Each structure stands twice: as structure tokens, then as C-alpha cells.
Amino acid sequence: MKLLVSVFLLLALGYLATAEVVAFAGKCNKFFLKKQPPTGPAGPQYREICQKRDPAGNYEFATLYDTSNKIPVYSAYKFQSNGGCSRDTPWYIEPQYKNELKLFFNPLQLDDPTKGPEMNTQGTVTKPPRGDNQALNDDYDGSGYHRGHLVPVYHRNAKQCIDATFTLTNAAPQYPKFNSGAWRVAEATVAKTLDTDCLNRGFKAYIITGVVPGNTDIKGNNPPNPGSVNVPDYFWSAYCCVDNNKVPVPSVFGAYHRKNDNSKIATTSTTIANLNAMLQGVYGTGFRVFGNNC
């Protein structure tokens, strides 16, 4: 798949954590507005992952993962007020698939089909197959890139929720100044808006955050080497507050994006419709973040 990043640029100017590599439907479609995941890229390289912290706990968010580029396409979640929890959790990988029956009919595994549903440290999977289909801590160490959260710590309100975000299937290489600067500011701004104008009114907010694959990998190769971790060209996010009838609340929805670099440029605010158009240009297929629901 050839990514038309030039089109995006043109349009842009206007613990022990566990997860299951399993279809969203029935497991974690609650993280999508009206239980409808985005329309977008499809194919054997993509895995739907329902993320949660422990086997007995609740699912925390959903991720569509690109095993060719070894980065997420997006993660989807319900916004929560920040609870001021600490963030001392190590990063984990996703070693497994759901079960043998699903493997036979629809190969959903990431690296090791003998593993159970527990998200774990990368040392629990031998190499190979460790890292065949996903990023590892080894890829990031010494690379100069941050492990950029898609579901951020700042949008979670409990330690369990925060811990569940520390999986490399929820991260992509992000320039440090961007991660700690403009992107953090945008996350905080959206959080304040949703706290004040949405949650405080008894409503719910849905967020989907993703990345646009770039032309280099985490080792600096251009074009990326096969099987390497792609460095995204852009990070993007969309949010939508809905009332108790699932109707979008006026003026409490929108989107923003920014190029992944170390500049001090702020993120660009845009409409959800414009973001859909950008992503459609990038992927060469219809892309609707919230379907027709926001």
C-alpha cells in the first residue's frame, strides 16, 4: 500500500496488563460511538485488539494495529477525567492470539501462537518470533524517539486504566519535543473542554487517536526497511461529546493533527469532516472516524 502523504500535507493546510487480539464486535465495540468502529484500511496486516489491564478486569480501550509498519492505526476510548495517578508502569508487548479456532479461520496472532491472553514483558516470548509483527522496547531504546501514547495517561482517571495504556501496541515513535510540547498541550486543552462542557453535564465523550505512516523507520532508513518500525509523519485525534440520546453536543466535537517533528509549531485544529478527507487521501480508501455519527 503506497501512502500518499503528499495528499495529507496538501489537505492539512486547510502491571501485568492483558489484551486480546480479537475482533472488536462483542468485546470492545463500546469504545466506539454507537458501537461503530471507523471505516478505513482493511487487510491481513491489521489486527483488532481489545485492551485491558488484567484478566478479570474490564476492557479499557480498543486498538487497530498495523503489523507491517509495527505501529497502531488508531486507538479508541471513552474520555475520563484525569485522576492524578502516577505513571511508573513498564512497557509491555502483546505476545499472543485469542485461540486456536480463530487462528485457523482468521489468523489474529501477533508473534507467538502458544501464548495466552496476558500482555507481558518481551522476555516472555523467544526471538524469533518475538518482534516479527510488533514493535519491541529494543526498537525504541537509543532511537531518540519517545513511545508516544495514542490513549494518553492524561485522559485516564484510575491506575488500572493508566497501566493498560503502557503497551507498545498503543504507541508509535514520536519526536520528544512534540510529545512533551504541542501534543501534550492539545491533549490537555481537549481534556479541559470535555470535562467542562461534556462530563460535567452528565454526557459521554468518545476519542479516536491515530497516526499516519511515514517514509522512514525508527533506525533512520528511507524508505523503511521491511519489518522495521515505521516513524509516523503525522499524529491525529478526533473527539465527540454526545448527550444521553447519543446526539452530538453542539460545539463539543472536533479534531486536530500535527506533523511529527521537533518543531515548536502548535497542533492544527480542524473539523472531523476535514480529518476524514485527509485520511482518505492517505490510505486511498474511505475513512470515516466516527462514521456518520458526529
Side-chain angles (χ1 to χ4, degrees):
M1 177 179 63
K2 184 177 181 181
L3 298 173
L4 304 177
V5 176
S6 60
V7 176
F8 187 96
L9 292 170
L10 179 62
L11 290 170
L13 297 175
Y15 72 22
L16 178 68
T18 73
E20 289 184 287
V21 186
V22 59
F24 294 146
K27 286 287 186 178
C28 54
N29 56 8
K30 65 182 179 181
F31 300 111
F32 304 102
L33 180 55
K34 295 187 178 180
K35 298 184 178 181
Q36 296 179 7
T39 58
Q45 76 193 69
Y46 301 106
R47 301 289 189 272
E48 296 180 355
I49 305 176
C50 296
Q51 312 270 20
K52 64 177 179 176
R53 191 195 181 294
D54 64 62
N58 297 321
Y59 291 105
E60 304 292 352
F61 62 97
T63 299
L64 182 66
Y65 193 75
D66 181 345
T67 60
S68 292
N69 287 309
K70 296 185 178 179
I71 54 175
V73 178
Y74 61 75
S75 284
Y77 59 104
K78 292 181 181 178
F79 171 75
Q80 300 170 344
S81 298
N82 182 266
C85 298
S86 60
R87 46 178 299 174
D88 56 0
T89 301
W91 286 89
Y92 293 91
I93 66 166
E94 173 57 65
Q96 52 82 50
Y97 71 100
K98 174 57 179 169
N99 60 41
E100 289 83 355
L101 184 62
K102 286 185 177 293
L103 175 64
F104 180 79
F105 289 106
N106 184 18
L108 295 171
Q109 83 281 4
L110 286 183
D111 281 346
D112 190 343
T114 68
K115 299 297 180 181
E118 292 79 16
M119 182 78 65
N120 217 321
T121 57
Q122 65 184 47
T124 61
V125 181
T126 59
K127 187 174 183 179
R130 185 179 73 227
D132 285 355
N133 296 296
Q134 64 184 306
L136 302 175
N137 284 300
D138 300 351
D139 296 310
Y140 283 90
D141 292 343
S143 69
Y145 293 98
H146 280 182
R147 299 160 175 83
H149 282 83
L150 269 61
V151 179
V153 169
Y154 200 83
H155 288 184
R156 317 309 287 159
N157 66 0
K159 188 68 165 68
Q160 176 173 303
C161 305
I162 288 173
D163 289 351
T165 68
F166 281 84
T167 162
L168 291 178
T169 55
N170 179 51
Q174 190 171 23
Y175 279 88
K177 291 182 180 179
F178 176 32
N179 186 28
S180 302
W183 197 249
R184 182 178 178 84
V185 169
E187 289 174 343
T189 300
V190 168
K192 183 177 180 180
T193 297
L194 295 180
D195 269 332
T196 303
D197 300 332
C198 189
L199 269 62
N200 286 351
R201 299 167 67 184
F203 300 150
K204 296 179 180 179
Y206 295 83
I207 298 180
I208 299 180
T209 300
V211 296
V212 173
N215 296 318
T216 61
D217 64 25
I218 203 166
K219 303 300 183 184
N221 298 302
N222 185 353
N225 285 336
S228 60
V229 178
N230 186 282
V231 176
D233 265 356
Y234 272 78
F235 278 67
W236 58 266
S237 186
Y239 60 94
C240 184
C241 174
V242 295
D243 63 20
N244 295 325
N245 295 315
K246 301 294 184 182
V247 176
V249 177
S251 302
V252 195
F253 53 84
Y256 58 96
H257 58 80
R258 212 207 77 163
K259 185 172 178 61
N260 186 23
D261 60 26
N262 264 331
S263 70
K264 296 181 179 181
I265 299 173
T267 58
T268 298
S269 296
T270 189
T271 64
I272 294 171
N274 283 343
L275 178 64
N276 286 336
M278 294 175 190
L279 296 174
Q280 181 171 338
V282 168
Y283 286 99
T285 185
F287 203 119
R288 303 188 72 84
V289 176
F290 292 116
N292 294 315
N293 298 314
C294 192

